[in-house]
Amino acid sequence: MLEVISMCKRAVDLGLTIAIIALLAPLASADTRHLQPPQDFRVIDTPNDGGGSLTLGWSILPVDGSSLRYQVLIAGSVDGPYQEVAAFPHDKHFRKGPKHPWWIRLATPNNHRFDLQSGKQVTFEDGTPYWVKLAIDNGMHSAETKPLSATPRPNLFNRAQSNNLLLLILFTVAVLFSIRRARKAPHRFLRRIGGLDAVEEAIGRATEMGKPILYLTGSASMDNPSTIAATVVLSEVAKKVSTYETGLIVPHRDPIVLAICQEITKEAYTQTGHPDAYTSEMNFYITDDQFSYTAAVQGIMLRERPAAIFLLGYYFAESLLLAETGHEAGAIQIAGTDADHQLPFFVIACDYTLMGEELYAASAYLSREPVMVGTLRAQDLGKAVLLGALILGVALSTAGEIFQTETFMYAVQVFYDFK
Amino acid sequence: MIFLKRQLPLVVTFCMGVVFAMQYYVPHPTSEALLKNASNWIIIIGGFALILGLVSLIQLHMHRIQRNVGGWGYSAVLFAAMFAMVIAGILAGGKNLDSERALTGYGWAYSYAMVPLQGTMFSLLAFFVASAAYRAFRARTKEAALLLIAALLVMWGRVPLGEYLWAFSGDIAQWILNVINSSVRRAILIGVSLGVIALSIKIIFGIERMYLGGKKE
């Protein structure tokens, strides 16, 4: 009897096992069916780059689950051997949002995009074809796309920056046009800039007191536009100083700036008919070390007690050390920099401060040459265009948020990455 | 001579200006190599230019010593320190550490003289900030009063005690920095950028030539 019962139990267990397997089988086949590799997988040479890179793209898989992972495999020929160069979960490497401007986007948003670049894993040789395939794996099953070929090549033009080039050309045309107009109609209105009006006053004060003028060209080298602007202003200051026969001290941190300033000062003295008053010791080199230079200039300020100090060009942490010491020395101080972090220090410690663009306008303002003044007109035009673009951009971005659309970004992105 | 001093620099400036303005738009490796080469040239020229600086420095301080100008002793100290450092550098082969990882004379002078002196100079900044802030915050005008109020709010919100006493102070300080301060900074930067582009165009096209001495042909 017991044997019959035991046989019945075994039969029931077997029946249940078969039933469970029969029930689970369709589910398992469904899982396998869901692991179809992406049908629109594509590999292209990365556009707008210097070569050595391929770009992979594919649509999001409908079965994307938490355990799904992608693997990128690469080989030098279609038959392999294939080497894994990247592996990442399904929720990485999305290409969504305006990372790239609309005129170079590869496909619609919310696709996967993976840039494969030369590195430790793989070294691409430009002009050589490579075979790439994408494998997907959810821990239980895996599938692969067919291998696709692409050849990395360098590009001659970065189309992502075509808006930048267009705006640069337009601004250049505006500058040249303004200069041409200024030649025809030389009398242009210039708003008063306190710091530049005070140059004459500062030099006059130094002459009356019989004390020298200290002129600093900043801490940057000649490749910095603010240093160039500072040397341009030095020319105008040196002309005035030579006329009044006042002393001029120009200590330097950069030997190239020293050589250029020596030439500028000499030329200024020659132009005003005082070449004998010029001495090569007016410009001298101290050191390129930041705080050694600062200490030396502070020493000059306290020993020589200059009546006027010009702090023009680019400055770092030494700005306040110099400006405060100059204030202690009782000098009238005119500063000018485009280093926005140092501007507050100069505003506090100096009598006059040329803020940002005023430094670049100084040459035109002091010389009043129509050609120079004409460029200021173009700058104003550029500012008006950018102001308009800012207002339009804010309005369009706000409208895009309200209407939940990215359509307006097409207009906004024309000014994208404009440097 | 005039061609070498005037026209040639203008031609070189125009060519280099146009080439390197366009280089920004060309991602090709040749373009990158060109930029790298030019950067290396700048470093090499800078190295040679240092000789100019050294000559200028030695000439100036020699004259000061020869003429017994007031404070000539400082010039003597400069020569002593400069030559001591050069000799220490030559003896140490330009290295801070020797084969046993111990400081060389050159490394010692740098670590125990140069670095503390630089640190001292930098730390002086705190005192200068205090004296400058004292002058700036004497609310003599409406602008200065506004500056004082803004500064007090930012300082209050940036210290832990301030936020502990007044929970909103951190947000207010952050708002002043992120909205008011950032917008003004960006306005200045837009002006600066346009000024830089305009100056560059003037230099590339030879309109601005003051940096060559300013004389017209």
Side-chain angles (χ1 to χ4, degrees):
Chain A
M1 189 61 186
L2 282 170
E3 281 181 6
V4 174
I5 292 168
S6 170
M7 273 179 65
C8 287
K9 269 187 177 176
R10 270 189 229 162
V12 170
D13 287 347
L14 190 64
L16 279 171
T17 308
I18 290 166
I20 288 165
I21 289 168
L23 278 169
L24 286 179
L27 288 176
S29 66
D31 199 9
T32 310
R33 193 177 64 241
H34 283 176
L35 267 187
Q36 289 293 317
Q39 298 303 306
D40 62 345
F41 174 64
R42 58 212 177 274
V43 184
I44 56 166
D45 167 37
T46 305
N48 310 305
D49 73 340
S53 174
L54 294 176
T55 294
L56 286 57
W58 66 96
S59 301
I60 297 167
L61 287 177
V63 290
D64 269 5
S66 59
S67 61
L68 193 73
R69 287 180 67 79
Y70 292 107
Q71 289 169 292
V72 178
L73 307 166
I74 193 162
S77 69
V78 67
D79 302 321
Y82 284 87
Q83 170 202 352
E84 183 189 304
V85 286
F88 48 89
H90 69 98
D91 56 350
K92 299 283 181 202
H93 297 292
F94 280 113
R95 194 187 61 72
K96 56 185 176 184
K99 188 183 173 189
H100 300 282
W102 52 267
W103 57 90
I104 60 152
R105 276 190 200 165
L106 299 176
T108 53
N110 295 322
N111 281 3
H112 283 289
R113 176 185 167 132
F114 187 75
D115 291 328
L116 204 54
Q117 291 173 332
S118 277
K120 286 179 186 172
Q121 298 275 357
V122 60
T123 306
F124 286 119
E125 213 168 283
D126 289 332
T128 306
Y130 291 89
W131 294 85
V132 183
K133 57 186 182 178
L134 186 74
I136 53 173
D137 186 349
N138 65 1
M140 293 170 67
H141 305 281
S142 62
E144 283 181 0
T145 61
K146 286 179 185 170
L148 295 175
S149 175
T151 307
R153 290 182 201 284
N155 297 103
L156 284 172
F157 180 66
N158 185 355
R159 286 185 296 125
Q161 288 166 340
S162 44
N163 62 333
N164 194 314
L165 181 62
L166 181 72
L167 290 169
L168 177 69
I169 290 168
L170 288 176
F171 187 65
T172 306
V173 169
V175 170
L176 297 177
F177 180 73
S178 300
I179 289 169
R180 197 177 161 173
R181 279 198 66 184
R183 280 193 174 125
K184 287 180 183 170
H187 301 292
R188 295 263 166 199
F189 170 75
L190 276 182
R191 75 170 168 87
R192 293 183 72 85
I193 300 174
L196 294 173
D197 286 339
V199 169
E200 196 89 32
E201 177 197 338
I203 297 169
R205 183 175 184 259
T207 310
E208 281 172 14
M209 293 172 75
K211 288 183 174 179
I213 288 165
L214 181 66
Y215 193 102
L216 307 178
T217 55
S219 299
S221 188
M222 213 52 205
D223 57 354
N224 191 306
S226 56
T227 309
I228 298 174
T231 58
V232 168
V233 178
L234 172 65
S235 175
E236 298 295 335
V237 170
K239 279 178 198 166
K240 290 183 178 17
V241 166
S242 64
T243 310
Y244 293 122
E245 295 183 7
T246 314
L248 181 65
I249 305 169
V250 195
H252 290 279
R253 235 186 108 170
D254 186 284
I256 295 176
V257 181
L258 162 78
I260 290 166
C261 286
Q262 276 177 333
E263 195 65 26
I264 285 174
T265 316
K266 192 177 174 182
E267 196 71 50
Y269 273 71
T270 308
Q271 277 185 38
T272 52
H274 300 90
D276 298 340
Y278 171 78
T279 60
S280 61
E281 286 183 10
M282 285 174 176
N283 288 272
F284 56 93
Y285 178 74
I286 294 178
T287 172
D288 67 345
D289 183 74
Q290 184 184 17
F291 289 114
S292 307
Y293 173 82
T294 309
V297 175
Q298 283 178 312
I300 291 168
M301 285 175 178
L302 294 174
R303 282 194 302 275
E304 303 288 338
R305 299 272 167 186
I309 298 174
F310 290 85
L311 299 134
L312 303 182
Y314 200 90
Y315 291 87
F316 298 94
E318 70 278 8
S319 62
L320 189 64
L321 294 172
L322 294 170
E324 270 297 279
T325 311
H327 180 264
E328 280 297 310
I332 180 170
Q333 297 197 98
I334 299 172
T337 186
D338 60 354
D340 56 320
H341 286 100
Q342 307 305 327
L343 270 173
F345 297 131
F346 281 143
V347 169
I348 287 173
C350 296
D351 299 284
Y352 299 95
T353 305
L354 304 174
M355 286 200 245
E357 61 178 320
E358 288 176 345
L359 175 63
Y360 298 104
S363 166
Y365 192 90
L366 291 172
S367 68
R368 300 277 168 168
E369 274 188 44
V371 173
M372 298 291 174
V373 176
T375 59
L376 299 182
R377 187 97 175 159
Q379 277 173 248
D380 286 345
L381 199 67
K383 269 188 277 183
V385 169
L386 287 182
L387 194 64
L390 278 172
I391 294 167
L392 187 70
V394 169
L396 290 176
S397 298
T398 310
E401 282 299 310
I402 292 168
F403 298 111
Q404 292 290 306
T405 174
E406 279 192 12
T407 314
F408 299 126
M409 291 304 285
Y410 291 112
V412 174
Q413 282 193 348
V414 174
F415 292 91
Y416 182 84
D417 195 32
F418 180 52
K419 296 173 191 165
Chain B
M1 266 317 265
I2 290 174
F3 172 76
L4 287 178
K5 282 195 84 176
R6 299 283 166 216
Q7 276 90 351
L8 186 65
L10 289 177
V11 170
V12 171
T13 307
F14 177 77
C15 294
M16 298 300 269
V18 171
V19 166
F20 284 97
M22 289 305 110
Q23 189 278 332
Y24 178 70
Y25 303 99
V26 181
H28 199 277
T30 312
S31 158
E32 297 296 324
L34 187 72
L35 181 66
K36 199 177 168 187
N37 268 332
S39 305
N40 288 340
W41 269 100
I42 291 170
I43 294 167
I44 292 165
I45 292 168
F48 279 103
L50 197 61
I51 298 168
L52 281 176
L54 202 63
V55 169
S56 161
L57 187 79
I58 291 171
Q59 270 181 352
L60 181 83
H61 289 279
M62 281 296 284
H63 286 169
R64 289 176 74 89
I65 293 170
Q66 281 169 353
R67 292 178 202 159
N68 278 341
V69 177
W72 64 269
Y74 296 117
S75 298
V77 170
L78 174 111
F79 280 124
M82 194 165 77
F83 288 117
M85 201 67 175
V86 169
I87 291 164
I90 291 168
L91 290 175
K95 289 175 181 167
N96 283 341
L97 299 172
D98 61 17
S99 55
E100 293 168 5
R101 310 289 299 162
L103 277 175
T104 59
Y106 179 66
W108 186 91
Y110 183 78
S111 302
Y112 294 111
M114 190 77 183
V115 173
L117 284 169
Q118 285 178 329
T120 307
M121 281 300 297
F122 194 48
S123 59
L124 281 175
L125 196 58
F127 300 100
F128 283 108
V129 166
S131 67
Y134 171 72
R135 278 210 319 282
F137 294 159
R138 281 180 300 177
R140 285 178 172 173
T141 60
K142 273 186 257 177
E143 289 84 1
L146 205 62
L147 186 72
L148 173 65
I149 293 165
L152 284 176
L153 285 171
V154 171
M155 281 192 284
W156 188 277
R158 302 290 278 185
V159 293
L161 181 66
E163 215 165 357
Y164 175 75
L165 294 173
W166 183 27
F168 292 114
S169 61
D171 294 335
I172 291 170
Q174 208 57 44
W175 183 82
I176 291 171
L177 290 174
N178 288 352
V179 179
I180 300 175
N181 190 40
S182 289
S183 57
V184 172
R185 274 188 59 208
R186 283 173 193 172
I188 290 172
L189 287 175
I190 287 173
V192 168
S193 305
L194 289 170
V196 168
I197 298 171
L199 180 69
S200 306
I201 291 169
K202 282 191 283 183
I203 290 172
I204 289 170
F205 287 100
I207 298 159
E208 174 67 81
R209 53 187 76 171
M210 285 288 189
Y211 67 99
L212 294 174
K215 197 176 177 182
K216 288 172 188 159
E217 298 93 291

